[in-house]
Amino acid sequence: MATTTTQLEEKIIEALDSNQVCSFATIEGNKPHVRYMALFHEGMTIYLATNKQTHKVEELERNPNVHILLGYEGSWSANFLQIEGIGRVSKDEALRKKVWKDDFKMWFDGSDDPNYVILEITPQWIEYTGKGAKPEVWKKS
């Protein structure tokens, strides 16, 4: 039985719900630059909180192409996602408040801190690999 786009999107969202951390790659010059980031999402849109004075913000402004990897939990029995997307820096007040966590107080004064920004990632292509299953590919229409 073939998987419908809606069924695949539901699996992807479930995998996003199950992961609070991801590997986030930007392009620095012509080389990938990867780091761990706290992961938030609304549907298929991914949000990453960061300081506007970081390299990742500079890298996104030069090249918006990003890659996210998530799902490894210490064993190969988890669901995995590889996500290619387009990233942009958002200073939207409502989004900043929505994503804000008290844990961020280590780095920011609050959701209105001028250095606090959200990286908004719009997926273009996602490979979902379920537990013991073959990869399935979702593409933005």
Side-chain angles (χ1 to χ4, degrees):
M1 181 172 161
T3 302
T4 67
T5 300
T6 303
Q7 289 172 326
L8 180 54
E9 287 174 357
E10 288 173 6
K11 291 182 200 178
I12 291 167
I13 290 168
E14 184 178 314
L16 289 167
D17 286 343
S18 299
N19 289 273
Q20 296 180 352
V21 176
C22 66
S23 294
F24 176 64
T26 54
I27 304 298
E28 183 175 24
N30 63 351
K31 296 180 181 181
H33 185 182
V34 182
R35 74 282 282 159
Y36 290 113
M37 301 280 299
L39 174 79
F40 307 91
H41 77 97
E42 188 168 61
M44 302 277 281
T45 303
I46 297 167
Y47 302 109
L48 309 171
T50 194
N51 189 308
K52 74 176 185 179
Q53 297 178 6
T54 60
H55 290 292
K56 62 186 111 22
V57 169
E58 294 170 9
E59 292 159 4
L60 266 183
E61 289 171 348
R62 286 192 291 267
N63 185 337
N65 293 293
V66 300
H67 193 96
I68 293 173
L69 176 64
L70 61 90
Y72 184 74
E73 299 169 349
S75 76
W76 295 108
S77 63
N79 298 323
F80 295 92
L81 293 181
Q82 288 198 60
I83 303 167
E84 291 178 5
I86 303 296
R88 72 177 193 86
V89 179
S90 174
K91 297 175 188 170
D92 178 83
E93 290 298 323
L95 182 57
R96 289 167 23 138
K97 288 182 189 314
K98 183 183 233 177
V99 173
W100 177 260
K101 302 284 182 214
D102 283 341
D103 294 345
F104 297 167
K105 289 180 181 177
M106 291 174 36
W107 302 285
F108 305 105
D109 293 332
S111 65
D112 57 348
D113 186 317
N115 287 317
Y116 170 60
V117 296
I118 304 299
L119 306 182
E120 183 175 339
I121 313 303
T122 303
Q124 305 297 302
W125 176 94
I126 300 174
E127 182 180 87
Y128 168 86
T129 305
K131 298 174 185 170
K134 292 184 179 182
E136 300 175 68
V137 173
W138 174 92
K139 291 182 181 176
K140 184 175 181 181
S141 47

